[in-house]
Amino acid sequence: MSFQSPQTRFFRSARYRGFLTRQQLRRVVFWAGATFVAAAAILFAKGSTVAYETFHAAAAQRPWLVLVLCPLGLALSLWLTRQVFVGAQGSGIPQTIAAIGDPVFAASGVLSLRVAFGKIVLTMLGLACGASVGREGPSVQVGAAIMHSLGRRLNLSEVRLQRALVVAGGAAGVAAAFNTPLAGVVFAIEELSRSFDMRTSGRVFSAVIMAGIASLAVLGNYTFFGHTDAVLTVGNGWLPVIVCGVAGGLAGGLFASILVRFSRRGLPGRAGAWVKSHPIAFAASCGVVLAGLGLLSGGDTYGTGYRETRALLSGQSISPAWGLLKMAATIVSYASGIPGGIFSPSLATGAGLGRALADWMPMAPSGAVIILGMVAYFSGAVQAPITAVVIVMEMTDNQALTIPLMASALIAFSVSRQICGKPLYKALAEGFRPPAAGTRPPL
């Protein structure tokens, strides 16, 4: 007799006794799963804040300590990823996209609860040692893993339903992590599924709503980057829109191209051979570079970039070179192979880019140019312009810039496509395939 969990026995017995039809069971699974996703995302957010604040306090008191913490932390994180939590590397969004396209790959373990746990712990470890990573991509993989595991435990084996669970879990993860329910839905449509299936759209909506309600109940109604009233008029708005769109597309496309090339080919020549044969040592060397960038920037390149972005939007000043340094820190953190997202660091890089450009366009409010930079760079990096616009609007509580943001995002998207031919997450997802016996997913 095969073992069944108490939850599985309850749901199945309830359905067979007539309490739940199969359609009702599916709805309960989506609602319950979304609530679990929200709880995980909230704990993840709080733990990530504690991890980074601990590192920030230590680095502020003893700046030289980063030369030890960054290399050791990245080396330990990569070792745990390769030995204990295989499948937890990188952002997590490429794994989720690959799992949606191939349920066999999802069942291989990349969406297991063990990997989800490792994703949370190792992302927090990365933040605790100064890596320029975020928790948004990891939240997508964690949410998808929770929903996928719940569906498997309840023997919901239809392929279409499995895919819907993964999409809904990823969308709920984004919505709960940043209190951006509309962005969660748009992200599911534009980035995860790349299509709008009417038979699954209602389930995605319901999952996002439940996750949003849970997040609202615990954290309250907040905006991730605070509130800004920056606006642009027809007279002073067209130049910042074009400049930010082109600059964001160029920088974001370059960023995406570097990540894709490194993921597929690694470094060339002897350096690449050394990286393949000494991955832990390479991660430690990335930590040294990361520490150097942090010391050069006065500590502003560590972590998600949330603190610095919020400061910029509130009118505080920062080095004009911060955006480029943050971009470099994010590339180094990703190249090391540790778990961690690029979502928040990319928004922060865009904010730094916008602030640098604002000095050259005094006719426009700096706050508006910063927001344009965030949207343009993020749209150029991931080539998801609608998601970029919606999530920045929700994160900054500013709908007055909707049209300029859309225009800048579309310009950045078009420019980025000339540099990086495929969307970043889709290109990275192609590197994941159902692992053959005795092999592991690629790092």
Side-chain angles (χ1 to χ4, degrees):
M1 179 181 297
S2 62
F3 172 78
Q4 292 182 348
S5 67
Q7 297 90 339
T8 302
R9 290 198 300 270
F10 169 77
F11 278 114
R12 300 187 80 180
S13 62
R15 179 162 60 87
Y16 290 133
R17 287 200 301 267
F19 294 147
L20 292 174
T21 65
R22 190 161 186 81
Q23 185 67 23
Q24 290 170 334
L25 174 62
R26 292 175 178 178
R27 292 174 183 171
V28 171
V29 169
F30 275 87
W31 296 343
T35 304
F36 296 150
V37 171
I42 292 168
L43 292 174
F44 192 9
K46 292 184 176 296
S48 297
T49 300
V50 172
Y52 176 70
E53 292 295 340
T54 302
F55 170 83
H56 185 268
Q61 293 178 2
R62 299 178 178 84
W64 58 267
L65 195 59
V66 301
L67 294 171
V68 178
L69 287 177
C70 292
L72 290 182
L74 265 62
L76 175 60
S77 179
L78 183 61
W79 184 85
L80 290 171
T81 301
R82 296 174 70 91
Q83 299 298 324
V84 183
F85 300 109
V86 178
Q89 67 272 16
S91 164
I93 295 176
Q95 292 95 312
T96 305
I97 293 174
I100 293 170
D102 193 334
V104 174
F105 177 61
S108 69
V110 75
L111 293 186
S112 68
L113 293 180
R114 178 182 59 83
V115 169
F117 174 77
K119 195 77 171 187
I120 293 174
V121 171
L122 295 181
T123 300
M124 290 192 295
L125 174 60
L127 291 170
C129 64
S132 179
V133 296
R135 55 182 171 82
E136 59 302 316
S139 294
V140 170
Q141 187 177 8
V142 169
I146 290 174
M147 294 288 270
H148 174 73
S149 299
L150 185 60
R152 290 191 67 190
R153 287 181 177 273
L154 297 179
N155 198 30
L156 301 178
S157 57
E158 299 94 327
V159 172
R160 185 181 297 277
L161 184 57
Q162 289 180 14
R163 288 174 174 165
L165 284 166
V166 173
V167 172
V174 171
F178 302 106
N179 191 31
T180 53
L182 183 57
V185 173
V186 173
F187 180 78
I189 297 170
E190 186 177 33
E191 193 61 50
L192 293 182
S193 65
R194 292 279 170 178
S195 64
F196 192 77
D197 189 335
M198 292 302 296
R199 283 173 288 188
T200 62
S201 61
R203 296 165 184 162
V204 173
F205 283 135
S206 65
V208 170
I209 290 171
M210 291 301 297
I213 291 174
S215 177
L216 188 65
V218 176
L219 301 178
N221 189 17
Y222 73 99
T223 50
F224 193 74
F225 288 128
H227 174 77
T228 174
D229 294 317
V231 296
L232 289 172
T233 63
V234 175
N236 68 3
W238 65 269
L239 182 60
V241 166
I242 295 174
V243 171
C244 287
V246 173
L250 288 172
L254 177 63
F255 171 79
S257 179
I258 291 173
L259 295 195
V260 172
R261 287 177 181 270
F262 186 87
S263 177
R264 290 177 176 175
R265 305 173 188 173
L267 296 176
R270 293 183 179 180
W274 181 83
V275 170
K276 291 180 180 179
S277 60
H278 301 84
I280 307 302
F282 176 69
S285 66
C286 288
V288 174
V289 176
L290 192 66
L293 290 170
L295 293 172
L296 184 63
S297 67
D300 290 336
T301 57
Y302 301 125
T304 63
Y306 163 77
R307 180 198 299 268
E308 292 77 16
T309 303
R310 194 178 180 95
L312 282 176
L313 289 173
S314 65
Q316 299 181 33
S317 62
I318 199 168
S319 169
W322 175 66
L324 292 177
L325 292 174
K326 185 64 177 175
M327 175 179 168
T330 306
I331 292 173
V332 171
S333 299
Y334 175 86
S336 70
I338 67 170
I342 60 173
F343 211 114
S344 290
S346 294
L347 290 171
T349 298
L353 176 65
R355 183 64 188 86
L357 293 174
D359 292 336
W360 297 89
M361 294 178 287
M363 80 290 294
S366 62
V369 182
I370 290 171
I371 296 176
L372 286 174
M374 293 170 66
V375 165
Y377 180 83
F378 184 78
S379 179
V382 303
Q383 296 184 10
I386 302 176
T387 298
V389 171
V390 172
I391 200 164
V392 170
M393 284 197 306
E394 287 193 287
M395 283 182 167
T396 59
D397 191 25
N398 189 326
Q399 286 79 43
L401 289 174
T402 301
I403 301 301
L405 291 178
M406 292 174 64
S408 193
L410 289 175
I411 293 172
F413 169 76
S414 300
V415 173
S416 176
R417 287 298 291 267
Q418 307 307 310
I419 302 173
C420 187
K422 289 186 177 181
L424 174 61
Y425 292 130
K426 181 179 180 181
L428 294 178
E430 292 176 355
F432 290 89
R433 293 291 185 268
T439 63
R440 295 174 176 173
L443 287 176

